[in-house]
Amino acid sequence: MTTEVTTTDLEAFTEDWLDWYRVQEARLADPHGFLAVTGLHWLDDRPQRFPDAPGAWRTGRDGVVVTLDDGEELVVEGRPVQGEYRFGVLPERGGVDTAWGDAVIEVAKRGGNDIVRPRHPDAPLRAAFTGTPAYAPHPRWVVTGRYLPFDEPRPTTVGAAVEGLEHVYDAPGRIEFDLAGRRLSLTAFPGHGAGRLMVLFTDATSGVTTYAANRVLAVEPPAPDGTVVLDFNRAANLPCAYTDLATCPLPPAENRLPVAIEAGQKIPRERRGS
């Protein structure tokens, strides 16, 4: 762990972190990002209409179906559709984004349940967004660890931001590292991109200066000797930190760290953060 840096090094480090931070904020505040979500609608076999989406929606053994009234239209994969449209059976954590005017209607499966989650650019949460508070970045929070793969991926069930919902991930291994004079370990889940990992965690700042339920850290693929770098300056909030209309996973019990990681994103202003 680096503890001494020159002013020039720190300036370069900060600029690099700012580039990451700006990307995070832009993704969040996108016209159809999570701040634009206006509803989280759970489907069953009864046709339901929602105030922020066209059509009557249902799901069953054959997957999600929408029935659009005369004059209603969705654009699915670039093709306008009317009447009845069948999305079929959606994969877990998968989904389809359809267009409706300037809105996007997300159709997805989360925790084994089919949902419709409209995203409108003029959503009040998005309109009022002014950015996410964060700790000033510092190299002291960049830690070298060791990735220890499991013999076989371990199915790991975790809770969710929505009460009663569960997510299951195939954990490929764990990461061991030293921080604040302690040997710590985090169960890792598959990340976005080949070989990449992600860790969900809480720490002693959770519920104090950082969001209580979870934060996420992306990890680059391990080196051939298992070395990985954990840059806690890039510990990010998940969508549930901003809105109750998210189904984010919670960390597994072993990822509740007993140390204060004063790095990364803080409690959003939307949750009365400073």
Side-chain angles (χ1 to χ4, degrees), residues 9-76:
D9 289 340
L10 187 56
E11 288 175 352
F13 183 86
T14 300
E15 281 302 316
D16 191 45
W17 178 86
L18 283 170
D19 288 342
W20 168 85
Y21 176 82
R22 293 183 187 111
V23 169
Q24 296 292 314
E25 297 289 273
R27 183 183 299 121
L28 182 66
D30 182 88
H32 300 123
F34 254 95
L35 296 180
V37 173
T38 54
L40 174 58
H41 308 303
W42 303 87
L43 304 183
D44 55 30
D45 59 359
R46 302 166 300 165
Q48 301 178 70
R49 294 191 69 93
F50 309 117
D52 48 359
W57 298 80
R58 70 182 190 275
T59 190
R61 182 185 309 173
D62 297 326
V64 177
V65 180
V66 63
T67 302
L68 299 161
D69 286 349
D70 291 343
E72 292 183 323
E73 179 180 279
L74 285 172
V75 178
V76 183

Short mmCIF file of all heavy atoms in Angstrom, two decimals, residues 9-76:
data_model
loop_
_atom_site.label_atom_id
_atom_site.label_comp_id
_atom_site.label_asym_id
_atom_site.label_seq_id
_atom_site.Cartn_x
_atom_site.Cartn_y
_atom_site.Cartn_z
N ASP A 9 2.68 13.31 -8.45
CA ASP A 9 2.02 12.01 -8.51
C ASP A 9 0.58 12.11 -8.04
O ASP A 9 -0.34 11.53 -8.65
CB ASP A 9 2.75 11.00 -7.62
CG ASP A 9 4.10 10.58 -8.19
OD1 ASP A 9 4.29 10.75 -9.40
OD2 ASP A 9 4.94 10.09 -7.42
N LEU A 10 0.36 12.84 -6.96
CA LEU A 10 -0.99 12.97 -6.41
C LEU A 10 -1.91 13.71 -7.38
O LEU A 10 -3.08 13.36 -7.53
CB LEU A 10 -0.95 13.68 -5.06
CG LEU A 10 -2.27 13.73 -4.29
CD1 LEU A 10 -2.84 12.32 -4.08
CD2 LEU A 10 -2.08 14.42 -2.95
N GLU A 11 -1.38 14.73 -8.04
CA GLU A 11 -2.18 15.46 -9.01
C GLU A 11 -2.60 14.55 -10.17
O GLU A 11 -3.76 14.57 -10.60
CB GLU A 11 -1.41 16.67 -9.54
CG GLU A 11 -1.27 17.80 -8.52
CD GLU A 11 -0.40 18.92 -9.04
OE1 GLU A 11 0.21 18.75 -10.13
OE2 GLU A 11 -0.33 19.98 -8.37
N ALA A 12 -1.67 13.75 -10.66
CA ALA A 12 -1.97 12.82 -11.75
C ALA A 12 -2.97 11.77 -11.29
O ALA A 12 -3.90 11.40 -12.02
CB ALA A 12 -0.69 12.17 -12.26
N PHE A 13 -2.76 11.26 -10.07
CA PHE A 13 -3.66 10.26 -9.50
C PHE A 13 -5.08 10.83 -9.38
O PHE A 13 -6.07 10.16 -9.72
CB PHE A 13 -3.14 9.84 -8.12
CG PHE A 13 -3.95 8.77 -7.46
CD1 PHE A 13 -3.69 7.43 -7.71
CD2 PHE A 13 -4.96 9.10 -6.56
CE1 PHE A 13 -4.44 6.44 -7.09
CE2 PHE A 13 -5.71 8.11 -5.94
CZ PHE A 13 -5.44 6.79 -6.20
N THR A 14 -5.19 12.08 -8.92
CA THR A 14 -6.49 12.71 -8.75
C THR A 14 -7.18 12.93 -10.09
O THR A 14 -8.39 12.71 -10.23
CB THR A 14 -6.33 14.06 -8.01
OG1 THR A 14 -5.75 13.82 -6.73
CG2 THR A 14 -7.67 14.75 -7.84
N GLU A 15 -6.42 13.35 -11.10
CA GLU A 15 -7.00 13.56 -12.43
C GLU A 15 -7.54 12.25 -12.99
O GLU A 15 -8.62 12.21 -13.60
CB GLU A 15 -5.98 14.18 -13.38
CG GLU A 15 -5.79 15.67 -13.20
CD GLU A 15 -7.07 16.45 -13.38
OE1 GLU A 15 -7.81 16.15 -14.34
OE2 GLU A 15 -7.35 17.34 -12.56
N ASP A 16 -6.80 11.17 -12.79
CA ASP A 16 -7.24 9.86 -13.25
C ASP A 16 -8.53 9.46 -12.54
O ASP A 16 -9.46 8.93 -13.16
CB ASP A 16 -6.13 8.83 -13.01
CG ASP A 16 -6.42 7.51 -13.71
OD1 ASP A 16 -6.83 7.54 -14.90
OD2 ASP A 16 -6.26 6.45 -13.08
N TRP A 17 -8.57 9.70 -11.22
CA TRP A 17 -9.78 9.38 -10.47
C TRP A 17 -10.95 10.23 -10.94
O TRP A 17 -12.08 9.72 -11.08
CB TRP A 17 -9.54 9.61 -8.98
CG TRP A 17 -10.76 9.35 -8.15
CD1 TRP A 17 -11.17 8.15 -7.64
CD2 TRP A 17 -11.74 10.32 -7.72
NE1 TRP A 17 -12.35 8.31 -6.93
CE2 TRP A 17 -12.72 9.62 -6.98
CE3 TRP A 17 -11.87 11.69 -7.92
CZ2 TRP A 17 -13.82 10.26 -6.41
CZ3 TRP A 17 -12.98 12.34 -7.36
CH2 TRP A 17 -13.94 11.63 -6.62
N LEU A 18 -10.72 11.52 -11.22
CA LEU A 18 -11.79 12.39 -11.69
C LEU A 18 -12.38 11.90 -13.01
O LEU A 18 -13.59 12.01 -13.24
CB LEU A 18 -11.28 13.83 -11.83
CG LEU A 18 -11.13 14.61 -10.52
CD1 LEU A 18 -10.40 15.92 -10.78
CD2 LEU A 18 -12.49 14.88 -9.88
N ASP A 19 -11.53 11.37 -13.88
CA ASP A 19 -12.04 10.80 -15.13
C ASP A 19 -13.01 9.67 -14.84
O ASP A 19 -14.08 9.56 -15.46
CB ASP A 19 -10.88 10.28 -15.99
CG ASP A 19 -10.06 11.40 -16.60
OD1 ASP A 19 -10.55 12.56 -16.65
OD2 ASP A 19 -8.91 11.13 -17.02
N TRP A 20 -12.63 8.79 -13.90
CA TRP A 20 -13.52 7.69 -13.50
C TRP A 20 -14.81 8.23 -12.90
O TRP A 20 -15.91 7.77 -13.25
CB TRP A 20 -12.80 6.79 -12.48
CG TRP A 20 -13.71 5.81 -11.81
CD1 TRP A 20 -14.09 4.60 -12.27
CD2 TRP A 20 -14.39 5.98 -10.55
NE1 TRP A 20 -14.95 3.99 -11.39
CE2 TRP A 20 -15.15 4.83 -10.33
CE3 TRP A 20 -14.41 7.01 -9.60
CZ2 TRP A 20 -15.93 4.65 -9.18
CZ3 TRP A 20 -15.19 6.84 -8.46
CH2 TRP A 20 -15.94 5.69 -8.25
N TYR A 21 -14.70 9.21 -12.01
CA TYR A 21 -15.87 9.77 -11.32
C TYR A 21 -16.84 10.38 -12.33
O TYR A 21 -18.07 10.19 -12.22
CB TYR A 21 -15.39 10.82 -10.32
CG TYR A 21 -16.51 11.55 -9.61
CD1 TYR A 21 -17.14 11.00 -8.51
CD2 TYR A 21 -16.92 12.81 -10.05
CE1 TYR A 21 -18.17 11.67 -7.86
CE2 TYR A 21 -17.94 13.49 -9.41
CZ TYR A 21 -18.56 12.92 -8.32
OH TYR A 21 -19.58 13.58 -7.68
N ARG A 22 -16.32 11.11 -13.30
CA ARG A 22 -17.19 11.75 -14.30
C ARG A 22 -17.96 10.71 -15.11
O ARG A 22 -19.13 10.91 -15.45
CB ARG A 22 -16.36 12.65 -15.22
CG ARG A 22 -15.77 13.87 -14.50
CD ARG A 22 -15.02 14.75 -15.47
NE ARG A 22 -14.31 15.82 -14.79
CZ ARG A 22 -12.98 15.91 -14.70
NH1 ARG A 22 -12.22 14.98 -15.29
NH2 ARG A 22 -12.42 16.90 -14.04
N VAL A 23 -17.30 9.61 -15.44
CA VAL A 23 -17.98 8.53 -16.18
C VAL A 23 -19.11 7.95 -15.34
O VAL A 23 -20.22 7.69 -15.83
CB VAL A 23 -16.97 7.44 -16.60
CG1 VAL A 23 -17.69 6.21 -17.13
CG2 VAL A 23 -16.01 7.98 -17.65
N GLN A 24 -18.83 7.71 -14.04
CA GLN A 24 -19.87 7.19 -13.15
C GLN A 24 -21.07 8.12 -13.10
O GLN A 24 -22.23 7.68 -13.21
CB GLN A 24 -19.31 7.03 -11.73
CG GLN A 24 -18.19 6.01 -11.59
CD GLN A 24 -18.67 4.59 -11.81
OE1 GLN A 24 -19.70 4.18 -11.28
NE2 GLN A 24 -17.93 3.85 -12.60
N GLU A 25 -20.83 9.41 -12.95
CA GLU A 25 -21.90 10.37 -12.84
C GLU A 25 -22.68 10.50 -14.15
O GLU A 25 -23.91 10.61 -14.15
CB GLU A 25 -21.34 11.73 -12.42
CG GLU A 25 -20.69 11.74 -11.05
CD GLU A 25 -21.71 11.60 -9.94
OE1 GLU A 25 -22.26 12.62 -9.49
OE2 GLU A 25 -21.96 10.46 -9.51
N ALA A 26 -21.98 10.47 -15.26
CA ALA A 26 -22.65 10.58 -16.56
C ALA A 26 -23.55 9.37 -16.81
O ALA A 26 -24.67 9.52 -17.33
CB ALA A 26 -21.61 10.72 -17.68
N ARG A 27 -23.08 8.20 -16.47
CA ARG A 27 -23.88 6.99 -16.64
C ARG A 27 -25.14 7.06 -15.77
O ARG A 27 -26.25 6.73 -16.21
CB ARG A 27 -23.07 5.75 -16.28
CG ARG A 27 -23.81 4.43 -16.50
CD ARG A 27 -22.97 3.25 -16.07
NE ARG A 27 -21.75 3.15 -16.84
CZ ARG A 27 -20.53 3.18 -16.32
NH1 ARG A 27 -20.37 3.33 -15.01
NH2 ARG A 27 -19.47 3.07 -17.07
N LEU A 28 -24.99 7.52 -14.54
CA LEU A 28 -26.12 7.62 -13.62
C LEU A 28 -27.14 8.63 -14.11
O LEU A 28 -28.36 8.40 -14.04
CB LEU A 28 -25.60 8.01 -12.24
CG LEU A 28 -26.62 8.12 -11.11
CD1 LEU A 28 -27.21 6.76 -10.79
CD2 LEU A 28 -25.96 8.71 -9.88
N ALA A 29 -26.68 9.77 -14.59
CA ALA A 29 -27.56 10.87 -14.98
C ALA A 29 -27.97 10.83 -16.45
O ALA A 29 -28.60 11.77 -16.95
CB ALA A 29 -26.88 12.21 -14.69
N ASP A 30 -27.64 9.75 -17.16
CA ASP A 30 -28.06 9.59 -18.54
C ASP A 30 -29.57 9.79 -18.65
O ASP A 30 -30.31 9.49 -17.71
CB ASP A 30 -27.67 8.19 -19.01
CG ASP A 30 -28.01 7.95 -20.47
OD1 ASP A 30 -27.19 8.26 -21.33
OD2 ASP A 30 -29.13 7.44 -20.73
N PRO A 31 -30.07 10.30 -19.77
CA PRO A 31 -31.52 10.50 -19.91
C PRO A 31 -32.35 9.25 -19.63
O PRO A 31 -33.52 9.35 -19.26
CB PRO A 31 -31.66 10.94 -21.37
CG PRO A 31 -30.38 11.62 -21.68
CD PRO A 31 -29.33 10.85 -20.92
N HIS A 32 -31.72 8.08 -19.77
CA HIS A 32 -32.42 6.83 -19.47
C HIS A 32 -31.67 6.00 -18.43
O HIS A 32 -31.80 4.79 -18.37
CB HIS A 32 -32.63 6.03 -20.76
CG HIS A 32 -33.44 6.76 -21.78
ND1 HIS A 32 -32.98 7.01 -23.06
CD2 HIS A 32 -34.66 7.35 -21.70
CE1 HIS A 32 -33.89 7.70 -23.73
NE2 HIS A 32 -34.91 7.93 -22.93
N GLY A 33 -30.89 6.68 -17.60
CA GLY A 33 -30.19 6.01 -16.51
C GLY A 33 -31.12 5.76 -15.33
O GLY A 33 -32.33 5.99 -15.39
N PHE A 34 -30.53 5.32 -14.20
CA PHE A 34 -31.38 4.93 -13.08
C PHE A 34 -32.09 6.10 -12.42
O PHE A 34 -33.14 5.92 -11.79
CB PHE A 34 -30.57 4.14 -12.05
CG PHE A 34 -30.89 2.67 -12.09
CD1 PHE A 34 -30.12 1.80 -12.84
CD2 PHE A 34 -31.98 2.17 -11.41
CE1 PHE A 34 -30.43 0.46 -12.91
CE2 PHE A 34 -32.31 0.83 -11.46
CZ PHE A 34 -31.53 -0.03 -12.22
N LEU A 35 -31.56 7.30 -12.54
CA LEU A 35 -32.27 8.45 -11.98
C LEU A 35 -33.53 8.78 -12.77
O LEU A 35 -34.39 9.53 -12.30
CB LEU A 35 -31.36 9.66 -11.94
CG LEU A 35 -30.14 9.55 -11.02
CD1 LEU A 35 -29.31 10.83 -11.08
CD2 LEU A 35 -30.55 9.26 -9.59
N ALA A 36 -33.65 8.21 -13.97
CA ALA A 36 -34.82 8.44 -14.81
C ALA A 36 -35.94 7.42 -14.57
O ALA A 36 -37.03 7.55 -15.14
CB ALA A 36 -34.42 8.42 -16.29
N VAL A 37 -35.70 6.42 -13.73
CA VAL A 37 -36.71 5.40 -13.47
C VAL A 37 -37.89 6.01 -12.72
O VAL A 37 -37.73 6.72 -11.73
CB VAL A 37 -36.11 4.24 -12.66
CG1 VAL A 37 -37.21 3.25 -12.24
CG2 VAL A 37 -35.04 3.51 -13.48
N THR A 38 -39.09 5.73 -13.21
CA THR A 38 -40.31 6.28 -12.60
C THR A 38 -41.18 5.22 -11.94
O THR A 38 -42.13 5.56 -11.23
CB THR A 38 -41.14 7.04 -13.63
OG1 THR A 38 -41.41 6.18 -14.75
CG2 THR A 38 -40.41 8.29 -14.11
N GLY A 39 -40.88 3.96 -12.15
CA GLY A 39 -41.69 2.90 -11.53
C GLY A 39 -41.01 1.56 -11.61
O GLY A 39 -40.21 1.30 -12.52
N LEU A 40 -41.30 0.72 -10.63
CA LEU A 40 -40.82 -0.67 -10.61
C LEU A 40 -42.06 -1.54 -10.51
O LEU A 40 -42.67 -1.67 -9.44
CB LEU A 40 -39.89 -0.89 -9.42
CG LEU A 40 -39.42 -2.33 -9.16
CD1 LEU A 40 -38.70 -2.90 -10.37
CD2 LEU A 40 -38.52 -2.39 -7.92
N HIS A 41 -42.47 -2.13 -11.63
CA HIS A 41 -43.74 -2.84 -11.73
C HIS A 41 -43.49 -4.35 -11.85
O HIS A 41 -42.80 -4.80 -12.76
CB HIS A 41 -44.52 -2.34 -12.94
CG HIS A 41 -44.68 -0.85 -12.99
ND1 HIS A 41 -45.27 -0.14 -11.97
CD2 HIS A 41 -44.32 0.07 -13.93
CE1 HIS A 41 -45.28 1.15 -12.27
NE2 HIS A 41 -44.71 1.31 -13.46
N TRP A 42 -44.07 -5.10 -10.91
CA TRP A 42 -43.89 -6.55 -10.86
C TRP A 42 -45.03 -7.22 -11.62
O TRP A 42 -46.21 -6.91 -11.39
CB TRP A 42 -43.86 -7.02 -9.41
CG TRP A 42 -42.80 -6.35 -8.61
CD1 TRP A 42 -42.88 -5.16 -7.95
CD2 TRP A 42 -41.46 -6.81 -8.43
NE1 TRP A 42 -41.68 -4.85 -7.35
CE2 TRP A 42 -40.79 -5.84 -7.62
CE3 TRP A 42 -40.75 -7.94 -8.84
CZ2 TRP A 42 -39.45 -5.98 -7.25
CZ3 TRP A 42 -39.43 -8.07 -8.47
CH2 TRP A 42 -38.80 -7.11 -7.69
N LEU A 43 -44.67 -8.12 -12.52
CA LEU A 43 -45.67 -8.74 -13.39
C LEU A 43 -46.13 -10.08 -12.84
O LEU A 43 -45.38 -10.80 -12.20
CB LEU A 43 -45.10 -8.92 -14.80
CG LEU A 43 -44.57 -7.67 -15.50
CD1 LEU A 43 -44.11 -8.02 -16.91
CD2 LEU A 43 -45.61 -6.57 -15.52
N ASP A 44 -47.39 -10.42 -13.13
CA ASP A 44 -47.91 -11.76 -12.88
C ASP A 44 -48.80 -12.12 -14.06
O ASP A 44 -48.70 -11.50 -15.13
CB ASP A 44 -48.63 -11.84 -11.53
CG ASP A 44 -49.75 -10.81 -11.38
OD1 ASP A 44 -50.35 -10.43 -12.42
OD2 ASP A 44 -50.04 -10.39 -10.24
N ASP A 45 -49.68 -13.11 -13.88
CA ASP A 45 -50.47 -13.58 -15.02
C ASP A 45 -51.71 -12.72 -15.29
O ASP A 45 -52.46 -12.99 -16.22
CB ASP A 45 -50.86 -15.04 -14.84
CG ASP A 45 -51.68 -15.28 -13.57
OD1 ASP A 45 -51.93 -14.31 -12.82
OD2 ASP A 45 -52.04 -16.44 -13.31
N ARG A 46 -51.90 -11.67 -14.48
CA ARG A 46 -53.03 -10.77 -14.71
C ARG A 46 -52.57 -9.57 -15.54
O ARG A 46 -51.58 -8.91 -15.16
CB ARG A 46 -53.60 -10.27 -13.38
CG ARG A 46 -54.07 -11.35 -12.43
CD ARG A 46 -54.28 -10.74 -11.05
NE ARG A 46 -53.03 -10.16 -10.55
CZ ARG A 46 -52.98 -9.32 -9.53
NH1 ARG A 46 -54.08 -8.91 -8.93
NH2 ARG A 46 -51.80 -8.85 -9.11
N PRO A 47 -53.24 -9.23 -16.62
CA PRO A 47 -52.87 -8.04 -17.39
C PRO A 47 -52.96 -6.79 -16.51
O PRO A 47 -53.97 -6.58 -15.83
CB PRO A 47 -53.88 -8.01 -18.53
CG PRO A 47 -54.37 -9.42 -18.65
CD PRO A 47 -54.36 -9.96 -17.26
N GLN A 48 -51.89 -5.98 -16.52
CA GLN A 48 -51.85 -4.76 -15.72
C GLN A 48 -51.43 -3.58 -16.60
O GLN A 48 -50.54 -3.72 -17.44
CB GLN A 48 -50.84 -4.89 -14.58
CG GLN A 48 -51.07 -6.01 -13.62
CD GLN A 48 -49.97 -6.05 -12.57
OE1 GLN A 48 -49.87 -5.19 -11.70
NE2 GLN A 48 -49.09 -7.05 -12.67
N ARG A 49 -52.06 -2.44 -16.36
CA ARG A 49 -51.64 -1.21 -17.01
C ARG A 49 -50.95 -0.32 -15.98
O ARG A 49 -51.31 -0.34 -14.79
CB ARG A 49 -52.83 -0.48 -17.63
CG ARG A 49 -53.49 -1.24 -18.77
CD ARG A 49 -54.49 -0.35 -19.49
NE ARG A 49 -53.81 0.71 -20.24
CZ ARG A 49 -53.45 0.63 -21.51
NH1 ARG A 49 -53.69 -0.46 -22.22
NH2 ARG A 49 -52.82 1.63 -22.11
N PHE A 50 -49.99 0.45 -16.44
CA PHE A 50 -49.21 1.31 -15.55
C PHE A 50 -49.25 2.74 -16.08
O PHE A 50 -49.33 2.96 -17.30
CB PHE A 50 -47.76 0.82 -15.47
CG PHE A 50 -47.65 -0.65 -15.14
CD1 PHE A 50 -47.08 -1.54 -16.04
CD2 PHE A 50 -48.13 -1.15 -13.95
CE1 PHE A 50 -46.97 -2.89 -15.76
CE2 PHE A 50 -48.04 -2.50 -13.64
CZ PHE A 50 -47.46 -3.37 -14.55
N PRO A 51 -49.19 3.73 -15.19
CA PRO A 51 -49.32 5.13 -15.64
C PRO A 51 -48.15 5.65 -16.44
O PRO A 51 -48.28 6.67 -17.13
CB PRO A 51 -49.46 5.89 -14.31
CG PRO A 51 -48.80 5.03 -13.29
CD PRO A 51 -49.07 3.63 -13.72
N ASP A 52 -47.00 4.97 -16.37
CA ASP A 52 -45.80 5.48 -17.03
C ASP A 52 -45.32 4.59 -18.17
O ASP A 52 -44.17 4.68 -18.60
CB ASP A 52 -44.67 5.68 -16.01
CG ASP A 52 -44.46 4.47 -15.10
OD1 ASP A 52 -45.22 3.48 -15.24
OD2 ASP A 52 -43.56 4.50 -14.26
N ALA A 53 -46.23 3.71 -18.68
CA ALA A 53 -45.88 2.83 -19.79
C ALA A 53 -47.14 2.50 -20.56
O ALA A 53 -48.24 2.47 -19.99
CB ALA A 53 -45.21 1.55 -19.29
N PRO A 54 -47.01 2.23 -21.87
CA PRO A 54 -48.19 1.88 -22.65
C PRO A 54 -48.53 0.40 -22.50
O PRO A 54 -47.70 -0.41 -22.10
CB PRO A 54 -47.75 2.19 -24.08
CG PRO A 54 -46.28 1.86 -24.07
CD PRO A 54 -45.79 2.27 -22.69
N GLY A 55 -49.77 0.04 -22.83
CA GLY A 55 -50.14 -1.35 -22.92
C GLY A 55 -50.53 -2.00 -21.60
O GLY A 55 -50.43 -1.41 -20.53
N ALA A 56 -51.01 -3.24 -21.73
CA ALA A 56 -51.33 -4.09 -20.59
C ALA A 56 -50.31 -5.22 -20.56
O ALA A 56 -50.08 -5.90 -21.57
CB ALA A 56 -52.75 -4.64 -20.72
N TRP A 57 -49.69 -5.44 -19.40
CA TRP A 57 -48.55 -6.33 -19.27
C TRP A 57 -48.90 -7.54 -18.42
O TRP A 57 -49.59 -7.43 -17.41
CB TRP A 57 -47.38 -5.59 -18.62
CG TRP A 57 -46.89 -4.42 -19.43
CD1 TRP A 57 -47.44 -3.17 -19.49
CD2 TRP A 57 -45.74 -4.40 -20.29
NE1 TRP A 57 -46.71 -2.36 -20.33
CE2 TRP A 57 -45.66 -3.09 -20.84
CE3 TRP A 57 -44.79 -5.35 -20.64
CZ2 TRP A 57 -44.66 -2.72 -21.73
CZ3 TRP A 57 -43.78 -4.98 -21.52
CH2 TRP A 57 -43.73 -3.68 -22.06
N ARG A 58 -48.36 -8.70 -18.82
CA ARG A 58 -48.53 -9.91 -18.02
C ARG A 58 -47.33 -10.82 -18.27
O ARG A 58 -46.54 -10.60 -19.19
CB ARG A 58 -49.82 -10.63 -18.38
CG ARG A 58 -49.83 -11.28 -19.75
CD ARG A 58 -51.17 -11.94 -20.05
NE ARG A 58 -51.14 -12.78 -21.25
CZ ARG A 58 -51.30 -12.35 -22.48
NH1 ARG A 58 -51.52 -11.06 -22.71
NH2 ARG A 58 -51.25 -13.20 -23.51
N THR A 59 -47.19 -11.83 -17.44
CA THR A 59 -46.15 -12.82 -17.65
C THR A 59 -46.67 -14.20 -17.24
O THR A 59 -47.66 -14.32 -16.52
CB THR A 59 -44.87 -12.48 -16.86
OG1 THR A 59 -43.80 -13.34 -17.28
CG2 THR A 59 -45.08 -12.67 -15.35
N GLY A 60 -45.97 -15.21 -17.69
CA GLY A 60 -46.36 -16.59 -17.39
C GLY A 60 -45.29 -17.54 -17.87
O GLY A 60 -44.13 -17.16 -18.06
N ARG A 61 -45.68 -18.77 -18.08
CA ARG A 61 -44.73 -19.80 -18.47
C ARG A 61 -43.98 -19.45 -19.76
O ARG A 61 -42.80 -19.78 -19.91
CB ARG A 61 -45.46 -21.13 -18.67
CG ARG A 61 -44.56 -22.30 -19.04
CD ARG A 61 -45.37 -23.55 -19.33
NE ARG A 61 -46.32 -23.84 -18.27
CZ ARG A 61 -47.25 -24.80 -18.35
NH1 ARG A 61 -47.37 -25.50 -19.47
NH2 ARG A 61 -48.06 -25.01 -17.34
N ASP A 62 -44.64 -18.74 -20.66
CA ASP A 62 -44.02 -18.40 -21.95
C ASP A 62 -43.37 -17.03 -21.95
O ASP A 62 -42.95 -16.55 -23.01
CB ASP A 62 -45.06 -18.49 -23.06
CG ASP A 62 -45.60 -19.91 -23.24
OD1 ASP A 62 -44.81 -20.86 -23.04
OD2 ASP A 62 -46.79 -20.05 -23.54
N GLY A 63 -43.29 -16.39 -20.78
CA GLY A 63 -42.59 -15.12 -20.68
C GLY A 63 -43.51 -13.92 -20.71
O GLY A 63 -44.73 -14.01 -20.56
N VAL A 64 -42.90 -12.76 -20.94
CA VAL A 64 -43.60 -11.48 -20.84
C VAL A 64 -44.36 -11.17 -22.13
O VAL A 64 -43.84 -11.36 -23.23
CB VAL A 64 -42.59 -10.35 -20.55
CG1 VAL A 64 -43.29 -9.00 -20.53
CG2 VAL A 64 -41.89 -10.60 -19.21
N VAL A 65 -45.60 -10.67 -21.95
CA VAL A 65 -46.44 -10.27 -23.08
C VAL A 65 -47.00 -8.89 -22.79
O VAL A 65 -47.43 -8.60 -21.66
CB VAL A 65 -47.60 -11.26 -23.29
CG1 VAL A 65 -48.46 -10.82 -24.48
CG2 VAL A 65 -47.08 -12.67 -23.49
N VAL A 66 -47.01 -8.02 -23.80
CA VAL A 66 -47.69 -6.73 -23.69
C VAL A 66 -48.75 -6.66 -24.78
O VAL A 66 -48.53 -7.11 -25.91
CB VAL A 66 -46.72 -5.55 -23.81
CG1 VAL A 66 -46.03 -5.51 -25.18
CG2 VAL A 66 -47.43 -4.23 -23.54
N THR A 67 -49.93 -6.14 -24.41
CA THR A 67 -51.00 -5.92 -25.39
C THR A 67 -51.23 -4.42 -25.49
O THR A 67 -51.64 -3.77 -24.51
CB THR A 67 -52.29 -6.62 -24.96
OG1 THR A 67 -52.04 -8.03 -24.81
CG2 THR A 67 -53.38 -6.42 -26.01
N LEU A 68 -50.93 -3.86 -26.66
CA LEU A 68 -51.02 -2.42 -26.89
C LEU A 68 -52.37 -2.07 -27.50
O LEU A 68 -52.85 -2.75 -28.42
CB LEU A 68 -49.89 -1.98 -27.82
CG LEU A 68 -48.47 -2.23 -27.28
CD1 LEU A 68 -47.46 -2.19 -28.41
CD2 LEU A 68 -48.12 -1.21 -26.22
N ASP A 69 -52.99 -1.03 -26.97
CA ASP A 69 -54.27 -0.56 -27.52
C ASP A 69 -54.04 0.13 -28.86
O ASP A 69 -52.91 0.46 -29.23
CB ASP A 69 -54.92 0.42 -26.55
CG ASP A 69 -55.52 -0.28 -25.33
OD1 ASP A 69 -55.61 -1.53 -25.33
OD2 ASP A 69 -55.89 0.43 -24.37
N ASP A 70 -55.16 0.39 -29.56
CA ASP A 70 -55.08 1.16 -30.81
C ASP A 70 -54.42 2.50 -30.52
O ASP A 70 -54.75 3.19 -29.54
CB ASP A 70 -56.47 1.38 -31.38
CG ASP A 70 -57.11 0.09 -31.90
OD1 ASP A 70 -56.36 -0.88 -32.11
OD2 ASP A 70 -58.35 0.07 -32.05
N GLY A 71 -53.47 2.87 -31.36
CA GLY A 71 -52.77 4.14 -31.18
C GLY A 71 -51.55 4.04 -30.29
O GLY A 71 -50.80 5.01 -30.17
N GLU A 72 -51.33 2.89 -29.63
CA GLU A 72 -50.14 2.68 -28.79
C GLU A 72 -49.08 1.92 -29.59
O GLU A 72 -49.41 1.03 -30.39
CB GLU A 72 -50.48 1.91 -27.52
CG GLU A 72 -51.36 2.68 -26.55
CD GLU A 72 -51.61 1.90 -25.27
OE1 GLU A 72 -51.75 0.67 -25.32
OE2 GLU A 72 -51.68 2.55 -24.20
N GLU A 73 -47.83 2.26 -29.34
CA GLU A 73 -46.74 1.63 -30.09
C GLU A 73 -45.47 1.62 -29.25
O GLU A 73 -45.18 2.57 -28.52
CB GLU A 73 -46.50 2.41 -31.38
CG GLU A 73 -45.37 1.89 -32.24
CD GLU A 73 -45.18 2.69 -33.50
OE1 GLU A 73 -45.93 2.46 -34.47
OE2 GLU A 73 -44.30 3.58 -33.51
N LEU A 74 -44.75 0.55 -29.34
CA LEU A 74 -43.40 0.44 -28.78
C LEU A 74 -42.44 0.20 -29.93
O LEU A 74 -42.82 -0.34 -30.98
CB LEU A 74 -43.30 -0.73 -27.80
CG LEU A 74 -43.91 -0.56 -26.41
CD1 LEU A 74 -43.87 -1.89 -25.66
CD2 LEU A 74 -43.19 0.51 -25.62
N VAL A 75 -41.19 0.58 -29.73
CA VAL A 75 -40.14 0.26 -30.69
C VAL A 75 -39.22 -0.74 -30.02
O VAL A 75 -38.58 -0.43 -29.01
CB VAL A 75 -39.37 1.51 -31.12
CG1 VAL A 75 -38.25 1.14 -32.09
CG2 VAL A 75 -40.32 2.52 -31.77
N VAL A 76 -39.18 -1.94 -30.58
CA VAL A 76 -38.39 -3.04 -30.02
C VAL A 76 -37.29 -3.40 -31.01
O VAL A 76 -37.57 -3.79 -32.14
CB VAL A 76 -39.26 -4.28 -29.72
CG1 VAL A 76 -38.42 -5.38 -29.08
CG2 VAL A 76 -40.44 -3.91 -28.84
#
